[in-house]
Every structure is written in structure tokens, then in C-alpha cells.
Amino acid sequence: MMLKHVVLTDPVLNGFAYGMLRDLEDEIVCITDGCKVLTPRRKLPKFIEDRIAHGTRYSNFRKLIPKVECDLKADVLWVILMGPEDFPLDLFNNWDRNVGIKVLYIFDTFERQLPSIRRVLQSAKWDIAITSFHGAVSFLEEQTQRKWYAVAQGVKLERFKPVAKEEKLISFSSYGRRLQNVHDGVKEYCSQTGKYYDYTTTTAIQSQIDSRENYNQYAWHLVHSFFTFSWPVELTHPKRVRTFSPITCRWFEAAASGTVILGQPPQDPEFKNIFGSDLVIPIDYESSKEHLNLILEELWENRFYYLECALKNREILIKNLTWESRVVEILNLMNILGK
């Protein structure tokens, strides 16, 4: 008998960061012939909801909020979270009494998120807990005293389909986290040489815009770039992660787009297993402005060669970059565990 797969989805969570999460939800539904069910949410006064949100200093008071009943039905329930702070089910009672297998997948599992991660784990007896960061498994198991699995992030190839070199409109780009000295140097170089440098100018968007729409706009800019910069989290935000080197979404998106990636790769050995050793052209982030100019000039003069290499890399890697391969990996994991 075919199992009923249900993916919890929360339309309240919108914005650029959730585009990848929506693609994963869609792929789970497609492969399992499942369906989406809206995540239950409590109607609390706004000032209380904001005050006790996961990750705030008063989040421990969530356990004092009287729980209400919630009845979800599924043979397999998939709970996909960008971070543990997005989890609202700890305010409900018996939400899993008619649920068979419970699969938890969390994109971001940094050390500072441990209190929120523990609350998610305590809310139910999860059959499988998965992080997207291979390097986080050891500290998660040590701190939560349970088994964790790592399944890397992925990408929807159709969204990041490369364009012809004649359609490349952006010389250099940088989206999300960046190193200020390199950013300033690239800005100055492009200004002096008449090239276009495209970069994130704000983290705020209109809340009513669907995350897929925002994600599409970002994808358009990325595939139309010759070169894009990307850096490890611990280099740009050393206080955000302390014990591992996370492989975040930008690497998958840039690799799928066929854009030439500049910067430094994460130190996690899994990076080489996923992307090989030639994905990133290393940039010395401590270079002088003059030396950086020489590097950028050489890159630009040989841009078609580097672009050809990036596209060849993509052809080798694409089967291992997709969300389809990730969902199959999780389903295989469930079978191995006898779930």
C-alpha cells in the first residue's frame, strides 16, 4: 500500500531565503506523490508572539503557554525548516498522534541555535533528524544526545539554467555575505574600467512577495553574471559558527548556474566530495587593492576560458546538485533504517 506523504508548509515564512526551501518542498511532493498541508499556527497577541519567539531571550516561556490540540494525519510527515526558529508546533498538543514516520530536515544548525533545536526535538519523537551541514553532525549528536544525519542542500536546475555567453550582462556579482575590503576593491575596479558589479544592497523585501518570485530574480542575476564571489561563513561572520565550516546554499546555486565562482571554499571535506577541487578560483582576501586589480584584469581578459571551465564543471556535477537526488537520498535512508 502506498504511504501518504505530507509536507508541512508555512506561507507566513516568505522572503528570498525561503526560495530554496520551497523548491525542496515541491520536490518531495513530486517524488512521493504527496501533498502539502499548511503548518498550524497559534493566534497569539502580536506582542506575546514576538516576545517569546524562538531565539529570543524569553523563548523559554513558550513552555508556559497553554497548548491546544492539533490533529495532523500522515503516514510520513516531512517538516522542513530553514532554521529551528521557524518551528511553531511546540505550542500544540498531540499534533503527531495520527502521524507515522516523522522526518525533520533543518537547513541551518549553528551552535547558537542549540536551545531552539532542543525545543524542536523535545516536541515529538522524531524518526529521522537531518541537518544540511555535514560538519554539524558531531556537535549536534554530542549536544542533543541523539542520532543525526547529514543530507546536503541542493538546487532546482531549471531555475538556475545557464545563459549563452552573449547574454552575460553582469561582469562581477556578490550576493549575501561578503568581505568588505574585497567588495570595495571590486567596486572601484569596475567603476574605473566601465564594468558592472552587481551586489546585494538590502536584505528587506516586501513581505507579500512570494519567496519563489524573489528567488527567481536572484537566479536571473546569478546566471547573467560572468563571475560571482562567495566566501565561507566563518570568514565573513566568525561569530556565527565556531566548530565547523558549513556548505551553504550559494555554492549550489552558483555551481548550477555555470557562473565562475571566485573567493574561498568552505573547509569541510564534504565540499570536495560534492563539487570537486576546481569549483572555486581562489582569491586572496588580504590582497592589496593594486594586486586585486591585477587579478580582476586577468580574470576579465580570460573570462571566456574560465566560463567554459565552469560550464564543463556544471555538466559533471549537475546530477549530484539536484533536490531530486537529495529527496531520493532521504527516502533511501528511511529504507535503510527500516522506516
Side-chain angles (χ1 to χ4, degrees):
M1 188 174 73
M2 194 169 183
L3 296 177
K4 178 186 178 183
H5 288 256
V6 170
V7 180
L8 283 188
T9 186
D10 194 346
V12 172
L13 302 173
N14 250 331
F16 167 74
Y18 291 93
M20 178 177 271
L21 181 145
R22 300 295 177 221
D23 284 348
L24 173 54
E25 291 176 345
D26 291 344
E27 198 61 52
I28 294 169
V29 169
C30 179
I31 290 177
T32 65
D33 195 25
C35 64
K36 293 182 183 180
V37 170
L38 295 182
T39 303
R41 280 199 167 268
R42 295 289 299 276
K43 292 183 179 179
L44 299 173
K46 187 72 165 59
F47 75 94
I48 293 179
E49 184 175 354
D50 291 344
R51 185 65 64 88
I52 65 167
H54 290 293
T56 65
R57 60 185 297 189
Y58 299 111
S59 55
N60 278 333
F61 287 98
R62 294 176 68 89
K63 61 187 177 184
L64 301 180
I65 300 294
K67 291 180 170 58
V68 298
E69 294 294 309
C70 172
D71 191 14
L72 296 170
K73 295 180 174 64
D75 295 319
V76 182
L77 182 71
W78 299 71
V79 178
I80 313 298
L81 304 174
M82 185 56 65
E85 299 82 7
D86 293 339
F87 187 73
L89 292 177
D90 59 321
L91 298 179
F92 293 88
N93 251 341
N94 300 317
W95 60 267
D96 61 339
R97 61 187 164 191
N98 290 314
V99 172
I101 300 167
K102 293 175 286 297
V103 180
L104 174 67
Y105 183 100
I106 309 180
F107 280 80
D108 291 347
T109 52
F110 297 110
E111 294 95 337
R112 63 179 176 79
Q113 295 172 301
L114 273 170
S116 298
I117 292 171
R118 290 192 180 104
R119 274 192 291 275
V120 174
L121 294 177
Q122 290 164 3
S123 70
K125 186 177 180 181
W126 298 95
D127 295 277
I128 304 176
I130 304 169
T131 172
S132 74
F133 300 146
H134 283 76
V137 169
S138 59
F139 98 82
L140 285 171
E141 291 186 339
E142 178 185 349
Q143 294 295 324
T144 66
Q145 296 299 298
R146 68 151 293 147
K147 179 67 178 174
W148 280 81
Y149 298 89
V151 175
Q153 298 181 26
V155 72
K156 182 177 180 178
L157 295 179
E158 295 83 357
R159 196 183 298 282
F160 292 89
K161 186 177 180 181
V163 298
K165 60 185 179 182
E166 296 80 9
E167 297 180 62
K168 293 281 190 180
L169 306 175
I170 298 170
S171 306
F172 296 89
S173 66
S174 177
Y175 304 116
R177 295 173 294 99
R178 58 183 178 237
L179 292 175
Q180 195 62 43
N181 61 319
V182 176
H183 174 65
D184 292 341
V186 178
K187 277 178 66 177
E188 184 173 323
Y189 168 79
C190 288
S191 176
Q192 292 174 348
T193 58
K195 297 175 181 61
Y196 180 55
Y197 177 37
D198 193 62
Y199 53 90
T200 308
T201 57
T202 179
T203 57
I205 65 164
Q206 299 179 52
S207 59
Q208 70 271 21
I209 296 179
D210 185 270
S211 54
R212 290 181 184 84
E213 182 179 345
N214 198 255
Y215 201 37
N216 270 337
Q217 292 179 356
Y218 156 68
W220 186 95
H221 284 76
L222 187 56
V223 301
H224 284 82
S225 301
F226 270 105
F227 299 94
T228 192
F229 285 88
S230 194
W231 307 97
V233 177
E234 66 273 18
L235 192 58
T236 61
H237 291 74
K239 293 182 180 179
R240 192 177 183 190
V241 60
R242 298 188 299 274
T243 60
F244 65 101
S245 183
I247 305 172
T248 55
C249 55
R250 295 292 90 85
W251 303 103
F252 297 92
E253 295 157 351
S257 72
T259 299
V260 184
I261 306 175
L262 310 175
Q264 295 287 339
Q267 296 302 305
D268 191 323
E270 189 64 21
F271 187 86
K272 186 175 181 180
N273 293 336
I274 297 172
F275 297 108
S277 56
D278 301 321
L279 182 74
V280 185
I281 297 178
I283 299 295
D284 183 359
Y285 55 90
E286 295 180 331
S287 292
S288 66
K289 193 174 296 184
E290 293 73 21
H291 185 54
L292 180 60
N293 282 348
L294 292 174
I295 294 172
L296 295 174
E297 190 62 33
E298 188 277 330
L299 289 167
W300 184 253
E301 287 180 0
N302 296 286
R303 61 192 180 279
F304 296 116
Y305 165 76
Y306 289 119
L307 179 60
E308 183 180 348
C309 292
L311 291 171
K312 286 181 179 177
N313 251 341
R314 180 187 188 272
E315 289 306 306
I316 296 171
L317 298 172
I318 50 175
K319 288 184 179 179
N320 194 37
L321 297 180
T322 66
W323 277 126
E324 178 183 3
S325 66
R326 303 296 183 251
V327 176
V328 169
E329 184 178 348
I330 296 172
L331 291 172
N332 287 339
L333 181 60
M334 291 166 59
N335 288 334
I336 291 172
L337 296 174
K339 300 298 183 183

